[in-house]
């Protein structure tokens, strides 16, 4: 086969043929690390571009809560879920790291409701931690905001996966792994 490829001009002299079955370095990274890194980065990006970029516009906490919720819904529904789906190495591996994604119109509404809960919890947690530690910088910058956002995201995903597991085990009577 290699000789035919060289004769046809598909492989030039001195060039090594590429192995299409070779596993790349990116495929060796566990999926949960890729999912956690992407979501951490997106939480930080939301806070950086909206929180820092808006300046004094978001000085009212109610407006900040609504703007963060809207940003969460749009970013997660149109960007994060699609990138996580591209990372899949097996069938639907990303469903264990997402809350809700569908191609239906109400997916953005559900993600907006999740964003309202997420942004309220995140803002209250960060405000409480700033008061607790009496800090000017801690929990006001994108890194710690993203860490708290990721903590709540994985907490919600864990609750969803636990409910799903119990439903399949006790009501559908299926054997679950």
């Amino acid at each position: 086969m290699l000789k035919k490829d060289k004769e046809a001009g598909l492989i030039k002299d001195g060039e090594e043929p590429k192995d299409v079955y070779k596993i790349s370095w990116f495929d060796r990274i566990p999926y949960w690390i890729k999912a956690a890194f992407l979501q951490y980065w997106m939480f930080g990006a939301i806070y950086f571009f909206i929180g820092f970029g808006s300046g004094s516009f978001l000085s009212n906490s109610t407006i900040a809560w609504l703007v963060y919720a809207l940003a969460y819904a749009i970013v997660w529904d149109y960007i994060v879920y699609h990138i996580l789906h591209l990372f899949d190495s097996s069938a639907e591996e990303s469903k264990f790291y997402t809350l809700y994604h569908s191609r239906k119109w109400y997916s953005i509404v559900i993600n907006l409701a999740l964003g309202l809960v997420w942004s309220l919890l995140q803002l209250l947690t960060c405000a409480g931690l700033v008061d607790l530690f009496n800090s000017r910088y801690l929990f006001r910058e994108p890194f710690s905001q993203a860490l708290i956002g990721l903590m709540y995201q994985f907490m919600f995903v864990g609750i969803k996966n636990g409910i799903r597991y119990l439903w399949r085990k006790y009501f559908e009577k299926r054997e679950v792994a």
Side-chain angles (χ1 to χ4, degrees):
M1 185 74 170
L2 197 55
K3 190 174 183 180
K4 288 182 183 179
D5 288 343
K6 276 192 175 185
E7 290 172 0
L10 298 175
I11 299 175
K12 297 177 183 170
D13 290 333
E15 188 177 292
E16 290 292 322
K18 294 183 179 175
D19 185 8
V20 293
Y21 299 108
K22 184 179 178 184
I23 296 174
S24 70
W25 66 271
F26 190 71
D27 291 332
R28 294 175 194 231
I29 300 172
Y31 188 83
W32 69 270
I33 292 176
K34 292 186 265 190
F37 180 75
L38 175 70
Q39 292 182 16
Y40 175 79
W41 188 83
M42 284 296 181
F43 280 123
I46 287 173
Y47 185 74
F48 180 78
F49 290 119
I50 293 175
F52 287 177
S54 64
S56 64
F57 173 70
L58 292 181
S59 60
N60 185 352
S61 62
T62 306
I63 294 173
W65 175 50
L66 296 174
V67 170
Y68 285 139
L70 183 64
Y72 173 89
I74 291 171
V75 168
W76 252 251
D77 204 42
Y78 294 113
I79 298 173
V80 173
Y81 291 148
H82 295 290
I83 294 174
L84 286 176
H85 188 66
L86 289 174
F87 287 166
D88 281 349
S89 58
S90 63
E92 297 193 19
E93 191 175 15
S94 65
K95 70 182 177 182
F96 298 111
Y97 299 96
T98 59
L99 285 172
Y100 182 79
H101 180 65
S102 173
R103 292 180 186 212
K104 307 253 190 275
W105 65 270
Y106 52 82
S107 176
I108 191 77
V109 175
I110 292 172
N111 280 315
L112 183 60
L114 292 169
L116 286 170
V117 172
W118 165 79
S119 62
L120 179 67
L121 287 174
Q122 182 182 9
L123 289 173
L124 290 176
T125 303
C126 287
L129 290 172
V130 165
D131 288 343
L132 179 69
F133 292 118
N134 197 14
S135 172
R136 289 182 60 184
Y137 303 109
L138 192 62
F139 301 109
R140 293 185 183 196
E141 34 77 37
F143 297 121
S144 56
Q145 289 276 337
L147 189 63
I148 291 171
L150 187 67
M151 176 188 70
Y152 281 123
Q153 178 78 7
F154 280 167
M155 183 182 75
F156 291 147
V157 167
I159 291 169
K160 180 209 62 151
N161 288 339
I163 292 169
R164 191 175 182 180
Y165 172 80
L166 292 173
W167 182 267
R168 286 184 174 179
K169 185 173 182 178
Y170 293 111
F171 293 109
E172 291 181 1
K173 302 292 185 193
R174 285 198 297 181
E175 190 172 317
V176 285

